[in-house]
Structures are given as structure tokens and as C-alpha cells.
């Protein structure tokens, strides 16, 4: 039947017909964007047709893998073994009954536009009450427009852009890690569907903004630095060899519930570079005019990607995040970590072990170096009491923009923090805890008759 069809329809006519179909579908796609903020900004997308038109084939997962192999052929970096990814981390491994598939996209509510890149548009929505991010081809993006201007058909240009999203789906699945954004679902066109749009659903993350990073408490900045150390160590020896973030930028990461996660894998490189001699492995960092010579062994630049990731991880995160506000007793260890990143004096495993040591000292309270566990007698306790909205003031490294809120290991440390602040006259201990288990404390500049609150305790200075 296939041979008969090919004899009846010439290849160029078939290609033209396919292009016209894809072009027509993309015109429809453009019309679904509403409330445009400008000529390059897509509006909320209507996924109604994407959900109602989906008729999933019996072997949907196998269909996806077959199409994926074809789509990846022209967009794979040197060293990425697609067959290995499919064999060792097949997409079906991470499938669950809750996976968002084509027909589920209509169930994503309150969809709003977030941002666009060169190729993709990102939307926010809610699926079963939980916030999610939706990535799809930007029908008015720079990629499609520049591609069409070069004389290629709209259908071919769309296919090129869709390849990148499909590639991102499989790579994110293949490198699944607690510090990599989680794929919650996707929709890829299949032979038995009327779907032509490619889309992916992931966890919703917040942009990693430099100013916000600098305004964070040391505890939260340490958490981000720890996450950076963790993912760089994992990438140094993943199941697919050493991985490199070739375009290492903060924009490639997002914050999910305070945890740093890699979300953009477009420029991820697989495997250390090949070489004949050590001179082939020179690693130059233009930002600091630094050059690092790496050993060539058995045709590979040993630890090339790891050193590249470490230096850039320090430049974009740990070097300026870790030192500021670090507890005095932890400064020597923090300085060693920063030195390891900046001058590449340690490998990623050594740095991660040092970071774990800092974390253990901090979360256990051992960094306080207390000889005796005795609370100051200069404070009077008012159980089940609070001063809500009263005597709030601004202080350094506050977790709150309107008051002075900090974390403390226990009441003794909270009292020490209050003693060191001339504006502090007392503090309220809450039942809330930070990611490390430390309690949240609100510091106050005065005292009045407290309100009753079973969730808090008030401590007032008596001197």
C-alpha cells in the first residue's frame, strides 16, 4: 500500500501538501492567542482543541519514542547517545497514572503568559489545583520569523522549533535529578491524532533574580549554593558521562519552593572534549582572563566539563552568595568552598562533602560552639502571646520586607541576635520552620500588652 501511494503522489507534491497542512494549523495557532501586549508577546493560549482532538494511539509511548528518535537526529550534540538514553532511561520509566497527556491539557486552568525566548513561549496554569508551567513553540517568536525570512517554509521552521522542545523533554527526563526541573507531562503529535502542536508541562519555578538573591538570608543563599554544588557533582559523573553547561547563566535555573533547579538544557553538552595532547584541552575563562590546562588522557580532556561547571557555578552563584552574612564560626569552611570554586583547587565531590559538613554544623546548632546550654535571665517569657503588627522595624538580612524576621536554632540564639541589635527590645518565637528546621522569629522594638496566640511565645528584655 505504501509503495502504491508513493507511485501515485510525487515526493515534492507530498512535501508541499504537508507544508500547507502545517502552515494552516499554525495560522490557526496564531489566531488562538488573545490579549496581545505587543507584536511579539503571545497572549493566553486556548488548549480546548488540543485536549478534545486528542485520540491517543494504543502504543502512545512507543510512538513517542519512535518520533523522538527521528526528531533528535538533526539536533543532537556530539557525544549524546540517543539510543543509550532510550535504553537506560526510557520515557516509560517515569510515566505515572498522573502524567499530563494531550487530552489533559484542556484541564489546565487560569492560563497566563509568562515569557518568551528565542524559540519557546512559557505560560502559567493550574492543573488539579497545582501551579504548572507550559512550554510550547512561540508562534510569533524570533526563531520562526528569522527562519521564514531565510526562505524556508513556515512548516519546516515550526518543525525545527518543535524539535528543540521534544529534545528538551527527553533530556530533562534522562537527567532526572532533584535539582532538575521535573517534567509533569507533554503532548507530541502522533500518527493517530489531529494534534500538530508540541507542548511540555513542568513544575512552575520563579526566575532567579540577582537582586533577590542578594536580599536573601544567608540560610537561603547557602541552600542555593548547596544545590549548585549538588548538581555540578552529579553532572561530573552522570549515567551519560560528564555533562557541561556550555552557556552557564542564572537564567537557566529557576527556584521551586526555595530549591534551585536547572530548567533550560538547550546548551547541555555530553562528554568531555576529545583530544590528542594536553594543549588541546586548554580551558579559557574570558570573564576573569584565566586559563586552565587540563590533562589529555585516552583521547579525552579529563574533568574538562567538571572544571568548567565549577568555575562558572562559582562566578554566577557561590562566590558572592556564601561569604556575606555567614556565621563567624563557619567562615573558614565557607572560604575554602569559595576558593575551591574560584581557583579550582578542589573537585566537585570534595566541595560537596565540605558543603554537607557546613550544612550539618548549621542545622544541628554545633556551629554555635556553646560551652553551656543556659538561657539568658535578661528575658521574661510570656507564653501563648504575640504582638501582631506592633513594634515592627527593619533590620539587616530580614526575611520580611515590613519587619525584622530572622531564623534561629533555638531561643538562646534568638536572644543573642536580639542582644546584638540596639533596636531590639524583645522577640516572638513562632511555630513556623525554615527548610533547615530552624524556627522563625519576629523581633520587636517595644513592648505593650500582648495578644493571646497559642502558636507563639513572647520574650521581652528586662534590662
Amino acid at each position: 500500500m505504501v509503495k502504491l501511494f508513493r507511485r501515485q503522489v510525487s515526493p515534492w507534491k507530498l512535501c508541499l501538501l504537508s507544508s500547507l497542512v502545517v502552515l494552516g494549523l499554525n495560522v490557526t495557532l496564531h489566531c488562538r492567542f488573545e490579549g496581545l501586549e505587543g507584536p511579539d508577546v503571545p497572549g493566553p493560549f486556548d488548549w480546548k482543541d488540543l485536549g478534545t482532538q486528542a485520540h491517543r494511539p494504543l502504543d502512545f509511548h512507543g510512538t513517542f519514542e519512535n518520533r523522538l528518535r527521528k526528531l533528535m537526529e538533526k539536533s543532537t550534540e556530539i557525544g549524546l547517545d540517543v539510543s543509550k538514553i532510550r535504553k537506560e532511561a526510557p520515557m516509560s520509566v517515569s510515566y505515572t497514572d498522573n502524567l499530563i497527556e494531550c487530552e489533559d491539557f484542556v484541564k489546565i486552568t487560569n492560563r497566563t503568559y509568562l515569557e518568551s525566548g528565542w524559540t519557546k513561549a512559557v505560560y502559567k496554569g493550574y492543573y488539579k489545583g497545582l501551579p504548572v508551567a507550559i512550554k510550547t513553540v512561540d508562534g510569533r517568536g524570533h526563531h520562526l520569523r528569522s527562519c521564514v525570512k531565510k526562505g524556508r517554509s513556515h512548516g519546516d521552521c515550526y518543525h525545527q522549533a518543535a524539535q528543540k522542545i521534544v529534545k528538551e523533554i527527553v533530556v530533562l527526563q534522562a537527567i532526572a535529578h532533584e535539582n532538575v526541573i521535573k517534567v509533569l507531562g507533554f503532548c507530541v503529535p502522533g500518527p493517530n491524532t489531529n494534534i500538530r502542536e508540541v507542548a511540555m508541562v513542568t513544575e512552575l519555578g520563579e526566575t532567579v533574580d540577582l537582586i533577590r538573591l542578594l536580599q536573601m538570608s544567608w540560610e537561603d543563599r547557602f541552600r542555593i549554593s548547596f544545590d549548585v554544588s549538588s548538581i555540578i557533582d552529579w553532572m561530573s559523573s552522570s549515567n551519560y558521562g560528564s555533562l557541561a553547561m556550555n552557556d552557564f547563566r542564572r537564567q537557566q535555573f529557576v527556584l521551586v519552593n526555595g530549591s534551585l533547579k536547572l530548567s533550560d538544557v538547550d546548551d547541555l553538552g555530553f562528554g568531555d572534549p576529545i583530544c590528542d595532547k594536553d594543549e588541546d584541552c586548554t580551558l579559557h575563562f574570558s570573564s576573569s582572563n584565566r586559563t586552565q590546562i587540563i590533562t589529555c588522557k585516552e583521547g579525552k580532556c579529563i574533568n574538562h566539563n567538571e572544571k568548567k561547571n565549577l568555575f562558572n557555578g562559582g562566578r554566577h552563584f557561590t562566590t558572592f552568595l556564601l561569604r556575606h552574612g555567614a556565621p563567624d564560626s563557619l567562615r573558614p569552611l565557607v572560604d575554602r568552598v569559595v576558593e575551591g570554586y574560584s581557583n579550582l583547587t578542589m573537585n566537585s565531590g570534595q566541595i560537596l562533602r565540605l558543603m554537607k559538613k557546613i550544612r550539618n554544623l548549621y542545622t544541628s546548632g554545633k556551629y554555635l560552639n556553646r560551652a553551656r546550654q543556659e538561657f539568658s535571665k535578661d528575658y521574661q517569657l510570656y507564653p501563648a502571646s504575640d504582638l501582631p503588627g506592633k513594634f515592627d522595624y527593619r533590620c539587616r538580612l530580614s526575611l520580611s520586607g515590613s519587619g525584622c524576621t530572622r531564623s534561629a536554632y533555638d531561643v538562646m540564639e534568638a536572644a543573642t541576635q536580639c542582644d546584638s541589635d540596639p533596636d531590639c527590645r524583645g522577640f516572638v518565637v513562632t511555630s513556623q520552620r525554615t527548610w533547615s528546621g530552624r524556627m522563625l522569629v519576629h523581633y520587636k522594638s517595644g513592648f505593650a500588652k500582648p495578644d493571646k496566640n497559642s502558636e507563639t511565645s513572647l520574650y521581652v528584655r528586662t534590662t
Side-chain angles (χ1 to χ4, degrees), residues 195-307:
I195 305 297
R196 291 297 179 271
E197 293 87 3
V198 173
M200 173 175 61
V201 182
T202 68
E203 297 173 293
L204 180 66
E206 301 176 68
T207 303
V208 180
D209 180 74
L210 178 59
I211 295 178
R212 181 184 174 187
L213 290 177
L214 294 174
Q215 292 176 338
M216 286 181 173
S217 66
W218 182 83
E219 181 180 359
D220 289 336
R221 284 184 277 116
F222 172 78
R223 182 184 186 183
I224 290 175
S225 299
F226 187 93
D227 289 338
V228 171
S229 303
S230 178
I231 193 170
I232 290 178
D233 179 64
W234 177 82
M235 293 178 78
S236 68
S237 57
S238 76
N239 294 336
Y240 312 103
S242 177
L243 309 181
M245 286 181 273
N246 291 317
D247 186 23
F248 201 121
R249 294 175 293 118
R250 281 185 292 273
Q251 290 85 345
Q252 292 175 304
F253 296 84
V254 294
L255 290 172
V256 180
N257 298 323
S259 179
L260 188 73
K261 297 196 177 190
L262 177 65
S263 62
D264 188 344
V265 293
D266 284 347
D267 296 295
L268 199 65
F270 289 74
D272 286 318
I274 58 176
C275 59
D276 294 320
K277 54 186 182 300
D278 289 353
E279 286 73 17
D280 297 334
C281 300
T282 301
L283 190 57
H284 182 70
F285 302 103
S286 57
S287 60
S288 61
N289 197 27
R290 176 188 176 91
T291 300
Q292 183 84 16
I293 302 297
I294 299 172
T295 302
C296 177
K297 184 178 180 180
E298 298 178 354
K300 292 283 187 178
C301 297
I302 303 301
N303 301 325
H304 175 279
N305 292 344
E306 179 182 20
K307 291 182 182 295

Side-chain angles (χ1 to χ4, degrees), residues 8 23 47 70 84 88 106-107 115 175 187 189 207 210 215 222 229 231 239 274 286 317 328 357 395 422 436 441:
Q8 292 176 342
L23 178 60
W47 293 96
K70 296 177 181 178
K84 184 177 181 181
E88 297 188 7
V106 70
K107 302 174 186 176
E115 59 182 354
I175 65 171
C187 184
T207 303
L210 178 59
Q215 292 176 338
F222 172 78
S229 303
I231 193 170
N239 294 336
I274 58 176
S286 57
F317 289 100
D328 292 340
K357 183 177 181 179
C395 66
S436 66
V441 182

Side-chain angles (χ1 to χ4, degrees), residues 4 24 38 50 80 104 133 158 161-162 246 250 256 258 289 299 361 384 397 405 412 439 441 447 459 463:
L4 177 62
L50 187 61
L80 174 55
D104 299 318
Y158 183 90
N246 291 317
R250 281 185 292 273
V256 180
N289 197 27
L361 290 172
L397 304 178
T405 302
M412 288 180 63
M439 59 189 189
V441 182
F447 174 71
Y459 291 82
T463 60

Side-chain angles (χ1 to χ4, degrees), residues 6-230:
R6 286 177 178 171
R7 284 198 295 266
Q8 292 176 342
V9 182
S10 62
W12 73 268
K13 288 183 178 180
L14 181 62
C15 180
L16 178 61
L17 179 61
S18 301
S19 298
L20 289 174
V21 170
V22 175
L23 178 60
L25 287 166
N26 277 278
V27 170
T28 303
L29 172 67
H30 295 168
C31 295
R32 291 177 185 166
F33 287 87
E34 299 175 355
L36 300 180
E37 298 176 16
D40 299 330
V41 181
F45 186 69
D46 183 3
W47 293 96
K48 182 177 180 180
D49 291 340
L50 187 61
T52 56
Q53 292 178 3
H55 303 289
R56 181 175 54 181
L58 295 177
D59 187 16
F60 179 81
H61 303 164
T63 299
F64 170 76
E65 290 188 357
N66 291 333
R67 294 181 61 81
L68 173 64
R69 183 170 64 255
K70 296 177 181 178
L71 285 170
M72 289 287 285
E73 285 176 355
K74 296 181 180 180
S75 62
T76 300
E77 295 108 338
I78 296 175
L80 174 55
D81 188 342
V82 178
S83 62
K84 184 177 181 181
I85 288 179
R86 293 177 62 250
K87 181 179 179 181
E88 297 188 7
M91 298 296 294
S92 57
V93 168
S94 54
Y95 281 173
T96 67
D97 292 337
N98 296 322
L99 183 74
I100 301 173
E101 297 185 6
C102 293
E103 65 268 28
D104 299 318
F105 275 69
V106 70
K107 302 174 186 176
I108 300 177
T109 60
N110 299 327
R111 296 172 297 276
T112 55
Y113 166 77
L114 289 181
E115 59 182 354
S116 294
W118 186 263
T119 304
K120 294 165 287 192
V122 183
Y123 301 84
K124 176 183 178 180
Y126 287 86
Y127 183 73
K128 295 183 178 180
L130 297 177
V132 297
I134 310 164
K135 288 186 180 181
T136 187
V137 175
D138 187 353
R140 299 185 177 185
H142 296 285
H143 174 88
L144 258 67
R145 287 186 295 147
S146 61
C147 178
V148 171
K149 284 182 180 178
K150 293 178 182 178
R152 302 192 62 176
S153 70
H154 197 286
D156 285 344
C157 293
Y158 183 90
H159 178 78
Q160 249 190 8
Q163 278 184 259
K164 294 187 177 183
I165 295 182
V166 175
K167 175 185 172 182
E168 191 171 4
I169 293 171
V170 72
V171 172
L172 285 174
Q173 289 280 337
I175 65 171
H177 183 269
E178 61 182 357
N179 293 116
V180 174
I181 201 75
K182 184 178 180 181
V183 176
L184 303 176
F186 55 84
C187 184
V188 175
N192 298 330
T193 73
N194 295 321
I195 305 297
R196 291 297 179 271
E197 293 87 3
V198 173
M200 173 175 61
V201 182
T202 68
E203 297 173 293
L204 180 66
E206 301 176 68
T207 303
V208 180
D209 180 74
L210 178 59
I211 295 178
R212 181 184 174 187
L213 290 177
L214 294 174
Q215 292 176 338
M216 286 181 173
S217 66
W218 182 83
E219 181 180 359
D220 289 336
R221 284 184 277 116
F222 172 78
R223 182 184 186 183
I224 290 175
S225 299
F226 187 93
D227 289 338
V228 171
S229 303
S230 178

Side-chain angles (χ1 to χ4, degrees), residues 217-220 222 327 330 356-368 407-409 413 417 434-436 438:
S217 66
W218 182 83
E219 181 180 359
D220 289 336
F222 172 78
L330 295 178
K356 288 181 178 179
K357 183 177 181 179
I358 295 173
R359 182 185 63 181
N360 292 338
L361 290 172
Y362 187 67
T363 57
S364 66
K366 293 180 180 179
Y367 77 99
L368 296 169
S407 71
Y409 173 70
E413 184 179 18
Q417 292 176 354
T434 66
W435 66 270
S436 66
R438 291 164 62 88

